[in-house]
Amino acid sequence: MKKLFAVLLAAMLVLSLAACGGKDSAPADNSGTSAPADQSGAPAEDAPAEGGSYKIALCMSHQTNAFTIAVGKGAQEKAAELGVTLDIFDGKQDQATQTSQIEQCISSGYDGILVEPVSVDGIVPAVKAANEAGVPVITVVQTMSGQEEHAKAYRGGNDTNAGELQMQSVVDLLGGKGNIAVLYGPMGSDGQLARKGGYDKVLENYPDVKVEFAETANWVTEEALSLVENWLSTGTEINAIVAQNDGMAMGALKAVEDAGLQDKIIVVGVDAVDDALQAIADGRLTGTISQDAPGQGGLGVQAMVDFLNGQEIEPVVYTECIWITKDNVSSYMG
């Protein structure tokens, strides 16, 4: 009798285990939200950041020079480190294109949008649309109108400080007097406006420094080359050319060298891209401002992931602004 009872008890135990589901009978988890686990139940080392594998867009104003490409690279590296997806959109310096891209990101279900505005004002309607859809926006590299109201944060350089440091360095090299020419970025962009603000702050203290020419070359090397060639052809004395980015500075430098005036005209830029750093090391370009391009992209991704994870983030974080010349360029070359 006891033997029969034991057999029945064993059979009931087997049926109970089958009902609970064994290794082979467990239903598949198709949610896609759970990280792989090891035998201890802990997330795998390559699991995505807390909150899941986020899908983030980086809407750049353009991807046509070394600086903007470096920003994108820094963002990609940080995204890979954090285990999130990052897609980069090229606004082609056209506000309508960037607006369309942001609208596309909203409808495609991106968790967050990083944006470098083509225009401080033109970007506002698209960012408002993202706000209404509940998609957070963080600006990088350049800010926007209504920054505090429409964007969760800003990560990038302080362009006013960069302009001030750049112009003060040039004025010091000129001894407080001389004729200069300025190459602006796209008119109305945050970088153009803020760096000009820095220039103006310095120049108001130096009445003997005269701005002979000031036009936009839209961050483009070839446009800067053409403009400076035209300026030099007028015969107007120019002692320094101040370019708002290194791409334009390199175009200006070529025009100056082609005219045989490299010993008479100072040329400076902003961004510390590789070509400019090499030109400084070679004694051709006078100087540039570093604002850590890859760092700006990386900071943007980190801020977005932190925000999506429910963390409180600082509204503004700037990268460091450094004046680079032949004396210290070796410390910034790869």
Side-chain angles (χ1 to χ4, degrees):
M1 188 69 177
K2 290 181 178 179
K3 184 175 181 181
L4 178 59
F5 179 78
V7 171
L8 291 172
L9 183 62
M12 291 174 64
L13 181 61
V14 170
L15 290 171
S16 175
L17 290 171
C20 291
K23 179 180 178 181
D24 294 333
S25 62
D29 180 3
N30 296 317
S31 67
T33 59
S34 298
D38 60 21
Q39 292 182 348
S40 68
E45 290 184 357
D46 60 350
E50 179 186 351
S53 182
Y54 298 121
K55 184 180 177 184
I56 299 170
L58 172 57
C59 296
M60 296 293 294
S61 65
H62 66 101
Q63 285 279 273
T64 60
N65 62 33
F67 175 81
T68 55
I69 291 170
V71 171
K73 183 179 179 181
Q76 288 174 324
E77 290 174 351
K78 179 59 71 172
E81 175 189 327
L82 298 177
V84 299
T85 298
L86 179 79
D87 294 322
I88 300 177
F89 295 83
D90 182 352
K92 303 184 183 300
Q93 293 188 357
D94 180 74
Q95 187 56 66
T97 297
Q98 188 170 72
T99 295
S100 176
Q101 289 169 344
I102 292 174
E103 292 171 347
Q104 175 187 341
C105 291
I106 296 169
S107 63
S108 297
Y110 280 84
D111 297 294
I113 300 173
L114 301 170
V115 60
E116 180 214 358
V118 169
S119 164
V120 294
D121 297 321
I123 197 66
V124 173
V127 175
K128 281 184 176 179
N131 294 164
E132 292 169 1
V135 181
V137 174
I138 291 176
T139 56
V140 295
V141 183
Q142 305 190 80
T143 60
M144 61 177 288
S145 294
Q147 172 74 29
E148 294 182 2
E149 179 182 358
H150 305 304
K152 301 300 181 184
Y154 169 73
R155 297 294 184 267
N158 186 326
D159 280 319
T160 301
N161 286 355
E164 188 174 352
L165 177 58
Q166 184 191 29
M167 185 60 75
Q168 185 64 61
S169 300
V170 169
V171 170
D172 290 345
L173 289 169
L174 293 176
K177 60 182 179 180
N179 297 338
I180 67 173
V182 179
L183 289 164
Y184 290 128
M187 303 304 287
S189 66
D190 182 55
Q192 181 266 320
L193 293 170
R195 291 174 193 178
K196 182 181 185 300
Y199 296 168
D200 293 344
K201 185 176 180 180
V202 172
L203 291 175
E204 67 183 11
N205 297 318
Y206 295 93
D208 292 332
V209 176
K210 183 179 179 182
V211 179
E212 291 287 352
F213 301 99
E215 294 184 53
T216 181
N218 296 303
W219 308 132
V220 180
T221 301
E222 291 74 16
E223 289 189 33
L225 170 61
S226 178
L227 270 177
V228 176
E229 285 176 338
N230 289 338
W231 294 345
L232 296 177
S233 70
T234 67
T236 303
E237 181 181 10
I238 299 174
N239 305 115
I241 298 174
V242 182
Q244 288 195 325
N245 82 337
D246 284 341
M248 297 187 296
M250 294 304 291
L253 180 61
K254 185 178 188 320
V256 168
E257 290 178 336
D258 288 348
L261 297 172
Q262 59 269 27
D263 295 329
K264 296 182 178 180
I265 300 178
I266 294 168
V267 181
V268 300
V270 177
D271 290 339
V273 301
D274 289 346
D275 287 350
L277 294 177
Q278 187 60 58
I280 292 171
D282 294 340
R284 299 170 55 229
L285 191 68
T286 303
T288 187
I289 299 289
S290 169
Q291 295 193 89
D292 188 6
Q296 294 186 45
L299 285 172
V301 173
Q302 183 69 66
M304 181 61 75
V305 171
D306 288 345
F307 180 83
L308 293 172
N309 282 340
Q311 298 178 31
E312 185 175 347
I313 61 174
E314 292 291 329
V316 176
V317 174
Y318 293 125
T319 52
E320 188 177 4
C321 195
I322 301 169
W323 173 237
I324 299 176
T325 67
K326 194 169 184 178
D327 292 336
N328 63 347
V329 68
S330 61
S331 299
Y332 299 92
M333 298 181 71

